[in-house]
Amino acid sequence: DADVTQTPRNRITKTGKRIMLECSQTKGHDRMYWYRQDPGLGLRLIYYSFDVKDINKGEISDGYSVSRQAQAKFSLSLESAIPNQTALYFCATSDLYRGRETQYFGPGTRLLVL
Amino acid sequence: EDQVTQSPEALRLQEGESSSLNCSYTVSGLRGLFWYRQDPGKGPEFLFTLYSAGEEKEKERLKATLTKKESFLHITAPKPEDSATYLCAATTHGSSNTGKLIFGQGTTLQVKP
């Protein structure tokens, strides 16, 4: 079984709709991240969370919100989707050990906003 | 501004033809340099982390090295299954409390039989 799962894997939605992308992990990690990937722009950080009560904005958080329902679950919401939010979305998890940290990524959600 | 740049953007090799991918970084205090492999439509898969200049790590046909300005991913005698996009990313001492990875654009490698 995969350590980091994302649902749905593919989603088509219309402008103005609210949608939620979900991420679950079985790695037991405290830290979770949401990234988006666009051709030519690489991976960019949207939000991150270090525990259930800790939520922080990344470099491109406008138009997005998140919820950390449990240590293992971190959801990303698009309040009112717009076409330029069409992208690949990745969840990642990590653990900090002796000052060192490695992020492990989920399989991604391909989102198309019409 | 912290930046990670990878070259070339794309690389085509014949099976068995060794080569290197470059990742140059200009960051305020490198904490860690990461290499990931990404297959089309999939999430990045962790390969290596390097923490200090002179450090090297190997895995099968891949070897990653680090200097004070750049990292190289050497691919020895590649096979078609090594075809993928290779991503380089850095964390800095300034970002250590966020865990933020600064990604390069990636190098897309195609290995022909």
Side-chain angles (χ1 to χ4, degrees):
Chain A
D1 289 339
D3 294 319
V4 183
T5 57
Q6 293 184 234
T7 56
R9 294 296 315 278
N10 294 280
R11 179 74 185 268
I12 300 174
T13 192
K14 294 182 178 180
T15 297
K17 295 290 187 181
R18 182 180 189 277
I19 67 162
M20 179 182 290
L21 309 182
E22 298 186 340
C23 176
S24 295
Q25 52 113 348
T26 58
K27 298 180 80 68
H29 289 167
D30 288 327
R31 297 183 168 200
M32 297 187 75
Y33 303 81
W34 275 105
Y35 290 87
R36 66 176 280 176
Q37 187 176 39
D38 301 273
L41 293 177
L43 280 146
R44 293 179 292 167
L45 182 63
I46 305 172
Y47 269 96
Y48 61 99
S49 168
F50 286 175
D51 64 41
V52 174
K53 297 181 181 180
D54 178 73
I55 302 288
N56 302 281
K57 293 182 177 181
E59 57 184 307
I60 54 163
S61 58
D62 288 348
Y64 301 95
S65 62
V66 291
S67 172
R68 185 82 184 265
Q69 302 93 324
Q71 185 205 36
K73 296 184 182 294
F74 192 34
S75 300
L76 176 73
S77 294
L78 284 66
E79 300 301 326
S80 178
I82 56 177
N84 78 358
Q85 292 178 313
T86 293
L88 263 173
Y89 288 85
F90 291 103
C91 172
T93 75
S94 70
D95 207 5
L96 191 62
Y97 177 69
R98 293 186 177 180
R100 295 185 170 184
E101 175 182 3
T102 296
Q103 292 185 27
Y104 298 92
F105 287 79
T109 294
R110 185 176 298 274
L111 175 66
L112 174 60
V113 183
L114 300 175
Chain B
E1 182 183 353
D2 295 331
Q3 195 167 7
V4 174
T5 304
Q6 293 186 245
S7 62
E9 287 187 18
L11 182 61
R12 288 185 177 181
L13 299 174
Q14 289 297 129
E15 184 172 2
E17 180 187 2
S18 300
S19 188
S20 297
L21 312 183
N22 177 264
C23 171
S24 62
Y25 59 91
T26 52
V27 298
S28 52
L30 181 74
R31 186 174 184 87
L33 191 292
F34 298 78
W35 283 98
Y36 288 86
R37 169 190 170 131
Q38 186 175 23
D39 293 297
K42 296 190 176 181
E45 174 190 349
F46 171 70
L47 293 173
F48 305 109
T49 312
L50 303 166
Y51 291 101
S52 56
E55 189 175 359
E56 299 182 351
K57 289 196 176 169
E58 287 188 69
K59 180 181 180 180
E60 296 180 352
R61 294 176 292 282
L62 301 177
K63 181 168 120 177
T65 62
L66 182 66
T67 72
K68 290 185 178 180
K69 295 183 179 179
E70 57 194 348
S71 177
F72 292 95
L73 184 66
H74 307 278
I75 303 176
T76 301
K79 297 182 178 181
E81 53 262 42
D82 294 322
S83 298
T85 295
Y86 291 86
L87 301 173
C88 172
T91 54
T92 70
H93 288 289
S95 68
S96 62
N97 61 337
T98 70
K100 178 184 175 182
L101 282 169
I102 305 161
F103 278 92
Q105 302 299 317
T107 293
T108 299
L109 173 65
Q110 183 180 28
V111 181
K112 295 192 170 184

